[in-house]
Amino acid sequence: MPLTKAGLEDVVAANSAICDIIGGEGKLTYRGIDIHELALHSSFEETTYLLWFGSLPAEASLRQFTADLAARRRLPDEIIALVRRLPSHARPMDLLRTAVSALPLYAPPVPQGTDPTVERATRVTAQMATIVAACEQIRRGHEPVEPPREGSHAESFLRMLFGGEPDRLAVRAMDLALILHADHELNASTFAARVTAATLADIDAAVVAAIGALSGPLHGGANEQVMRMLQEIGEPSEAEAHVAELLAAHKKVYGFGHRVYRTEDPRVTHLREMSRRLGQQGGDLRWYEISRRVEEVVQERKHLYPNVDFYSASCYFSMGIPVDMFTPVFAVSRISGWAAHVLEQYADNRLIRPRAEYVGERDVPYRPMAERVRAAG
Ligand SMILES: CC(C)(COP(=O)(O)OP(=O)(O)OC[C@H]1O[C@@H](n2cnc3c(N)ncnc32)[C@H](O)[C@@H]1OP(=O)(O)O)[C@@H](O)C(=O)NCCC(=O)NCCS
């Protein structure tokens, strides 16, 4: 008799050489390289190359890859027009999903001799950032900012998001966040991407499925919920009572808990420190301090550790990013992991088609409508 594992906990659903998590030790590696090393020394472009192609790029390869991304940043006019036509009250994640879904309809043909999946992955990775920034500019009533032809992905994204020269610490914080969120094994959105790719649907379909999965508050949507909680708390001295109230009502404290980690998530170490630095530079440590207090209380009362979404919230807020843009920013990064997994899935594909344990009734007779009407009357 098959045993159902609720939420597929601990079920191993694929062989993968991309990302490894050792939950008990709080260890995370991309292609065998410790996330702490990447956080300190890499860039989003280099990390994406590593995830897609399996090893760190040579200097010329990195230059080429960076240029390839930059050359694909510009959105087709039709996509800008589409975003303008969508309802102004639409949530940014819904705008993003809709615009990304339309992207391939206006993409130029894949050049001869190019791997079509890598070409499409490069295009959607470059343009995800442009779409998020364009959505923000358009809802502010501005023209989207022309994508810079030069500069890192992090810097270009901030230029397009806010217009003008971004602050140096903000660029570093964005690059760090992009690296840390780039991949995380078979998280829900990546699994959605792999399931879609395993039907031999194209990478664009896989990315749209992944964006849908990312949007929920138990996954990527948690960073927005965290910030709303910090805003409700308002002061570090109010944190304890607020958390106690949530726990007494058996509610989740967003940004805490993880299916795999049983100790500190190594990404949190970097985001916590970045949250402090950004707060200090901006002369407002309130969000960092509330976060610290919430962390202490949740640790004391529930023995739960913060996850990647917890300190990314105060980082993004200190950078001036609107709260409902936090999850789209997550997508700007995670696209690199989704694409890596789609490439890996295609390279050794088998349809992903699990079974369900049937728990419904059996041998139920079909009762004709006349009989049901008679019984109801
Ligand atoms: C991440 C998460 C979805 C993992 O879920 P999971 O592995 O299915 O774990 P469960 O939701 O079954 O939680 C197991 C237990 O811990 C508790 N728990 C887990 N996360 C919690 C949280 N954030 N706040 C309060 N309690 C939590 C659950 O209530 C449950 O307790 P119980 O056994 O007494 O009922 C879950 O921790 C969560 O919902 N966190 C908040 C959302 C979030 O931050 N998501 C981003 C993840 S990166």
Side-chain angles (χ1 to χ4, degrees):
M1 172 126 155
L3 273 180
T4 307
K5 291 283 261 178
L8 299 184
E9 180 164 3
D10 291 335
V11 171
V12 176
N15 289 336
S16 178
I18 299 171
C19 176
D20 189 29
I21 309 170
I22 306 178
E25 295 173 24
K27 193 170 164 68
L28 168 63
T29 55
Y30 293 169
R31 299 286 187 184
I33 302 178
D34 198 292
I35 194 68
H36 293 304
E37 295 288 315
L38 295 167
L40 293 175
H41 307 299
S42 191
S43 63
F44 176 70
E45 290 84 337
E46 187 181 66
T47 294
T48 301
Y49 186 103
L50 171 71
L51 290 169
W52 291 6
F53 304 115
S55 57
L56 289 171
E59 204 179 1
S61 309
L62 179 58
R63 213 177 307 117
Q64 184 61 55
F65 187 62
T66 304
D68 286 347
L69 281 174
R72 286 161 182 74
R73 267 186 204 123
R74 199 172 187 289
L75 294 177
D77 293 343
E78 293 88 342
I79 297 293
I80 306 270
L82 171 69
V83 172
R84 281 193 204 286
R85 273 206 309 278
L86 295 172
S88 57
H89 62 263
R91 295 182 316 164
M93 268 311 262
D94 295 336
L95 297 177
L96 179 67
R97 193 193 59 242
T98 306
V100 169
S101 180
L103 269 184
L105 306 178
Y106 304 103
V110 173
Q112 287 262 317
T114 315
D115 178 327
T117 306
V118 172
E119 170 57 27
R120 290 193 174 112
T122 311
R123 184 168 296 284
V124 68
T125 299
Q127 295 184 346
M128 188 84 78
T130 318
I131 293 173
V132 173
C135 288
E136 176 58 13
Q137 290 293 343
I138 287 170
R139 79 168 169 181
R140 287 190 196 175
H142 301 162
E143 282 298 310
V145 175
E146 195 61 31
R149 299 282 301 182
E150 299 202 324
S152 71
H153 198 61
E155 184 184 341
S156 306
F157 177 47
L158 291 178
R159 276 183 191 278
M160 294 188 289
L161 191 62
F162 297 125
E165 180 89 19
D167 165 75
R168 276 188 57 188
L169 183 61
V171 173
R172 168 68 190 128
M174 182 49 67
D175 206 23
L176 178 71
L178 293 178
I179 294 165
L180 296 176
H181 288 80
D183 193 44
H184 212 225
E185 202 223 42
L186 287 194
N187 60 89
S189 58
T190 302
F191 190 53
R194 282 191 85 129
V195 169
T196 308
T199 69
L200 296 183
D202 62 25
I203 184 168
D204 301 296
V207 170
V208 174
I211 293 174
L214 186 73
S215 66
L218 294 187
H219 186 15
N223 54 13
E224 299 183 20
Q225 303 298 328
V226 170
M227 197 61 226
R228 296 191 203 290
M229 174 181 74
L230 299 180
Q231 287 172 316
E232 263 178 55
I233 293 173
E235 292 297 333
S237 58
E238 299 298 319
E240 181 153 21
H242 190 96
V243 170
E245 211 174 291
L246 287 176
L247 295 179
H250 302 288
K251 290 190 178 156
K252 290 274 173 82
V253 187
Y254 285 99
F256 285 86
H258 200 272
R259 180 61 70 72
V260 185
Y261 290 113
R262 292 293 166 256
T263 180
E264 169 135 322
D265 174 338
R267 301 168 299 175
V268 170
T269 317
H270 297 274
L271 291 167
R272 186 193 287 114
E273 174 56 12
M274 186 51 84
S275 165
R276 189 193 64 73
R277 287 178 64 192
L278 286 162
Q280 194 168 48
Q281 177 176 283
D284 182 5
L285 278 164
R286 185 158 58 124
W287 307 112
Y288 169 74
E289 284 168 358
I290 298 173
S291 303
R292 287 294 285 156
R293 189 68 197 118
V294 170
E295 184 181 356
E296 281 167 12
V297 177
V298 177
Q299 179 59 243
E300 267 164 36
R301 292 180 178 237
K302 285 291 280 188
H303 308 294
L304 288 170
Y305 292 89
N307 58 48
V308 73
D309 293 301
F310 189 64
Y311 282 100
S312 57
S314 49
C315 284
Y316 296 156
F317 196 74
S318 298
M319 290 159 73
I321 299 174
V323 178
D324 60 0
M325 283 287 165
F326 287 8
T327 312
V329 171
F330 194 153
V332 168
S333 169
R334 186 55 60 85
I335 176 61
S336 56
W338 294 335
H341 281 267
V342 169
L343 287 163
E344 189 178 64
Q345 184 67 39
Y346 287 152
D348 185 16
N349 188 56
R350 189 160 188 225
L351 182 78
I352 299 173
R353 201 295 186 200
R355 294 297 314 274
E357 176 71 4
Y358 180 70
V359 295
E361 289 181 65
R362 293 188 192 275
D363 301 324
V364 180
Y366 178 80
R367 294 170 73 200
M369 179 59 82
E371 205 181 294
R372 282 176 275 154
V373 168
R374 261 199 314 279

